[in-house]
Amino acid sequence: MTEIFEAVNGKAELFLDWMRSHPRCALLFVACLLSFWLTGMLLRWKWALHWQNYGKMWIFDDCNPEIRRRIGIAVVCIALMADLLLLIVWR
């Protein structure tokens, strides 16, 4: 079990080092992940809509699931636009 953990940890470190040395690719990877998450929210996939806030987002406790979904879509859209803007202006 320890050998498997060390192998996975080593591969993750290599991947993160590669992302640090290629920031444009890292921004593109993040944009792909955010797009996938946004697609999940738009198509109402259960994993994309499940909030794990543990009481930190108490302001939204009284909201119905549709409003939570719309707030999530807005937040992910803003994050995706910011990421794409960084990707465009990165030199």
Side-chain angles (χ1 to χ4, degrees), residues 19 21-29 86-91:
M19 288 294 219
S21 63
H22 299 89
R24 285 185 64 99
C25 292
L27 288 171
L28 189 61
F29 181 72
L86 281 173
L87 182 65
I88 291 169
V89 299
W90 188 271
R91 292 180 191 242

Side-chain angles (χ1 to χ4, degrees), residues 1 13 24 32 34 66 69 72 79 86:
M1 191 69 163
E13 283 184 27
R24 285 185 64 99
C32 289
L34 286 171
E66 185 61 25
R69 178 180 160 265
L86 281 173

Side-chain angles (χ1 to χ4, degrees), residues 13-64:
E13 283 184 27
L14 287 175
F15 179 71
L16 291 175
D17 287 340
W18 184 81
M19 288 294 219
R20 280 187 209 109
S21 63
H22 299 89
R24 285 185 64 99
C25 292
L27 288 171
L28 189 61
F29 181 72
V30 169
C32 289
L33 289 177
L34 286 171
S35 298
F36 186 64
W37 190 13
L38 181 62
T39 302
M41 287 182 168
L42 291 173
L43 296 177
R44 291 181 170 89
W45 292 341
K46 191 181 269 188
W47 64 266
L49 297 175
H50 185 67
W51 286 34
Q52 300 238 349
N53 54 17
Y54 302 109
K56 295 177 185 170
M57 301 286 287
W58 56 268
I59 246 174
F60 302 115
D61 282 348
D62 295 332
C63 296
N64 63 5

